[in-house]
């Protein structure tokens, strides 16, 4: 019996993988122009990192982590998100002593035991960016402008930017009191998990995906009404600068984010047609300290690559990046020509030319059929006579035009480039 892939995972086949490569290349170009450098961190980390970093009462930690004991009895978790691991790496490698701010980007798979549906998988990929070491609203602005530039680089339509501020520990004290009172007044409407969250972390209840909880949350007090002076000024500055930069945004007081580390500015880019959040993030000024470092303000975001590619294809119909096709197919008639082609192909490939040849000892007819199927741009048929005279005809497979060419890499490259 064949074994199938685990639920919620996907095979990215060659017919699609080039799109992923394109998306990552565009992202690295945009991010590196803002000074971001790539970081790669482990797929698995100590469970404690996420329990502490992401938060014990979040859905991610309570319900969605792939956690297991390894053979040395350590509790290990497949990373459900990238920020905690990146901050751990930042601390463990002493990056705090490097010139600040530190800007890191990544493209990595993440793992969450989610209810699988369109755009929601158990293994999914994120392109993320983390900026550590600036608490200024200017860092928020640069980060949001960069995210906006990224979304626009994929030519996506109908994506809106939604922002909110979820304050800091100071403003949350008053807010949580009001929120608790509200929730208590209709506690019977909430799910059992939310009831356990009430004392520990009432704000988490605002992010519950249960229908009854969502309904009950509708008239809950909003944190924007409780911001302290510092958070209020920070948010005002962010809004003003976004307007000045000509970036359209909506304020959505309902954004609380699903991870505990956020403070102050949070944002989501939503594809309205699909009702997908394609990119989301925010400030996380307390996380570095929570994980054992010196107080270090930080901000970042992650883009869901799976969702992005789906939306990208929708809005770029007929204009989606194409997979590479061979520059030339070298067909052989006979063993002598076959050996000659092996050497010629090597020379061409060393010069960055995409070459296909016959490596299955097939008939000329079968070789030419294959050349057609692979959409080779040019072809040359080489037999004993051509090897002898060192001349052959190169055929432009699109126009059918044939011209004579010397059988060496330079002359062939010259003709191909024309
Ligand atoms: P997040 O909102 O949990 O944030 O995820 C960011 C994006 O990843 C989502 O907006 C969505 O596009 C994609 N995503 C999340 N879960 C899934 C899934 N199950 N299937 C497909 N795509 C998914 C974070 O992960 C934070 N670490 C972002 C961040 C970085 N904040 C600050 N720095």
């Amino acid at each position: 019996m064949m074994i199938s892939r685990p639920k919620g995972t996907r095979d990215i086949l060659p017919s699609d993988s080039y799109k992923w490569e394109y998306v990552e290349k565009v992202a690295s170009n945009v991010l590196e122009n803002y000074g971001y450098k790539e970081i790669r961190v482990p797929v698995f980390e100590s469970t404690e990192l996420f329990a502490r970093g992401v938060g014990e009462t979040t859905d991610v930690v309570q319900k969605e982590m792939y956690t297991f004991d390894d053979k040395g009895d350590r509790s290990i978790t497949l990373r459900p998100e990238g920020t905690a691991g990146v901050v751990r790496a930042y601390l463990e490698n002493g990056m705090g002593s490097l010139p600040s701010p530190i800007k890191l980007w990544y493209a990595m798979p993440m793992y969450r035991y989610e209810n699988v549906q369109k755009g929601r998988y158990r293994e999914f990929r994120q392109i993320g960016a983390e900026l550590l070491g600036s608490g200024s609203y200017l860092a928020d602005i640069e980060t949001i402008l960069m995210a906006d530039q990224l979304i626009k680089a994929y030519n996506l339509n109908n994506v809106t930017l939604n922002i909110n501020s979820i304050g800091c520990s100071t403003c949350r004290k008053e807010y949580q009191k009001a929120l608790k009172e509200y929730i208590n007044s209709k506690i019977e409407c909430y799910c059992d998990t939310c009831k356990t969250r009430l004392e520990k972390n009432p704000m988490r209840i605002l992010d519950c995906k249960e229908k009854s909880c969502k309904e009950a949350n509708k008239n809950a007090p909003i944190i924007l009404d409780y911001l302290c002076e510092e958070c209020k000024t920070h948010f005002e500055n962010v809004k003003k600068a976004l307007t000045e930069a000509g970036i359209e945004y909506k304020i959505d007081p309902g954004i609380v984010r699903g991870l505990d580390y956020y403070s102050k500015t949070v944002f989501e880019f939503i594809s309205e047609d699909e009702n997908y959040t394609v990119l989301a993030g925010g400030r996380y000024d307390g996380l570095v300290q929570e994980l054992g470092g010196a107080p270090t303000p930080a901000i970042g975001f992650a883009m869901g690559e799976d969702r992005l590619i789906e939306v990208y294809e929708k809005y770029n119909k007929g204009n989606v990046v194409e997979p590479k096709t061979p520059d030339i197919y070298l067909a052989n008639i006979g063993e002598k020509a076959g050996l000659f082609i092996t050497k010629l192909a090597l020379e061409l490939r060393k010069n960055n030319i995409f070459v296909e040849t016959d490596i299955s000892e097939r008939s000329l007819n079968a070789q030419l059929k294959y050349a057609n199927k692979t959409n080779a741009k040019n072809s040359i048929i080489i037999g004993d006579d051509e090897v002898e005279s060192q001349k052959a005809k190169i055929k432009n497979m699109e126009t059918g035009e044939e011209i004579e060419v010397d059988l060496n890499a330079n002359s062939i490259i010259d003709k191909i480039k024309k």
Side-chain angles (χ1 to χ4, degrees):
M1 212 175 65
M2 264 194 333
I3 299 167
S4 33
R5 59 180 181 268
K7 188 173 172 193
T9 64
R10 305 193 305 154
D11 297 315
I12 299 169
L13 303 177
S15 53
D16 282 317
S17 58
Y18 69 93
K19 294 172 204 159
W20 293 74
E21 193 187 318
Y22 168 77
V23 160
E24 286 164 19
K25 204 181 270 170
V26 168
S28 76
N29 270 342
V30 171
L31 300 178
E32 289 187 5
N33 281 338
Y34 283 81
Y36 282 74
K37 301 263 191 305
E38 192 187 1
I39 184 165
R40 301 183 188 205
V41 293
V43 167
F44 59 87
E45 300 268 4
S46 293
T47 302
E48 198 195 343
L49 175 70
F50 303 112
R52 258 212 270 159
V54 172
E56 297 270 15
T57 52
T58 58
D59 265 5
V60 169
V61 171
Q62 284 189 323
K63 302 181 183 168
E64 296 171 0
M65 293 207 303
Y66 280 90
T67 297
F68 57 94
D69 287 341
D70 72 4
K71 291 189 190 342
D73 274 340
R74 300 170 196 93
S75 183
I76 295 292
T77 293
L78 300 186
R79 63 171 173 238
E81 62 97 50
T83 312
V86 168
V87 171
R88 196 244 342 112
Y90 167 89
L91 290 172
E92 197 162 348
N93 296 286
M95 295 174 89
S97 59
L98 299 175
S100 156
I102 298 286
K103 295 174 171 181
L104 304 164
W105 77 271
Y106 49 85
M108 307 191 296
M110 310 291 164
Y111 302 85
R112 293 184 195 175
Y113 192 82
E114 297 239 37
N115 286 327
V116 177
Q117 50 187 282
K118 192 167 164 285
R120 195 172 286 284
Y121 308 101
R122 291 185 177 168
E123 181 188 61
F124 59 97
R125 286 160 184 78
Q126 285 184 343
I127 296 176
E130 313 292 355
L131 184 159
L132 296 116
S134 171
S136 164
Y137 76 97
L138 290 172
D140 302 35
I141 292 304
E142 187 180 273
T143 306
I144 296 174
L145 289 184
M146 182 171 79
D148 183 69
Q149 190 182 336
L150 198 53
I151 293 290
K152 289 188 173 131
Y154 300 112
N155 197 25
L156 306 187
N157 285 358
N158 211 5
V159 174
T160 52
L161 164 62
N162 294 262
I163 62 168
N164 191 23
S165 172
I166 56 170
C168 63
S169 49
T170 309
C171 25
R172 277 190 206 159
K173 278 191 195 113
E174 274 306 298
Y175 174 63
Q176 289 190 346
K177 221 191 278 170
L179 186 60
K180 264 192 206 170
E181 260 170 42
Y182 172 85
I183 293 168
N184 255 327
S185 72
K186 38 166 71 188
I187 192 73
E188 68 287 350
C189 306
Y190 287 92
C191 72
D192 287 345
T193 314
C194 281
K195 282 178 189 146
T196 67
R197 287 166 168 163
L198 186 64
E199 283 313 312
K200 285 191 203 147
N201 192 353
M203 275 176 78
R204 275 283 61 90
I205 296 175
L206 297 177
D207 195 46
C208 184
K209 290 170 195 144
E210 293 290 331
K211 218 171 164 191
S212 58
C213 302
K214 271 187 172 171
E215 192 57 39
N217 283 334
K218 275 194 175 144
N219 295 312
I222 58 171
I223 185 134
L224 281 183
D225 294 336
Y226 291 81
L227 294 185
C228 66
E229 275 316 305
E230 191 199 321
C231 289
K232 211 185 272 175
T233 310
H234 189 97
F235 196 46
E236 287 308 316
N237 283 336
V238 168
K239 288 189 289 184
K240 204 163 92 193
L242 281 179
T243 306
E244 264 175 38
I247 302 289
E248 279 182 37
Y249 63 88
K250 277 198 281 208
I251 295 167
D252 178 357
I255 302 179
V256 284
R257 308 285 298 125
L259 314 158
D260 267 357
Y261 46 64
Y262 290 109
S263 54
K264 291 185 177 164
T265 317
V266 287
F267 54 92
E268 297 186 345
F269 283 82
I270 297 171
S271 165
E272 297 291 345
D273 297 348
E274 248 67 31
N275 203 13
Y276 277 166
T277 304
V278 284
L279 184 154
R283 190 162 264 296
Y284 52 95
D285 289 347
L287 182 60
V288 177
Q289 201 174 8
E290 178 65 43
L291 295 177
T296 309
I299 182 166
F301 63 75
M303 182 167 76
E305 233 183 317
D306 304 71
R307 295 182 187 182
L308 174 87
I309 286 177
E310 201 189 300
V311 183
Y312 163 74
E313 285 196 290
K314 183 169 170 186
Y315 291 115
N316 290 273
K317 285 226 164 73
N319 201 16
V320 179
V321 57
E322 294 287 339
K324 273 214 268 178
T325 55
D327 294 311
I328 190 158
Y329 186 90
L330 300 176
N332 73 69
I333 313 173
E335 201 178 316
K336 197 165 153 198
L339 284 174
F340 175 80
I341 284 173
T342 308
K343 285 183 278 172
L344 181 58
L346 177 64
E347 277 316 302
L348 287 166
R349 286 166 175 154
K350 279 186 191 163
N351 282 285
N352 202 22
I353 301 292
F354 180 0
V355 184
E356 281 276 22
T357 69
D358 169 54
I359 48 171
S360 309
E361 302 185 49
R362 285 193 280 216
S363 70
L364 179 62
N365 216 353
Q367 290 182 50
L368 294 178
K369 255 194 202 153
Y370 183 75
N372 260 324
K373 277 201 189 127
T374 58
N375 287 325
K377 297 183 196 90
N378 300 281
S379 66
I380 305 184
I381 300 173
I382 302 173
D384 290 353
D385 291 351
E386 283 78 12
V387 176
E388 191 66 33
S389 66
Q390 290 291 296
K391 282 189 192 306
K393 288 207 169 108
I394 179 166
K395 181 174 177 180
N396 179 318
M397 300 284 277
E398 206 180 312
T399 62
E401 187 195 356
E402 289 188 317
I403 40 173
E404 195 168 74
V405 65
D406 289 337
L407 277 187
N408 59 62
N410 284 343
S411 309
I412 293 173
I413 291 167
D414 213 41
K415 295 280 188 298
I416 290 175
K417 293 272 149 85
K418 273 182 197 156

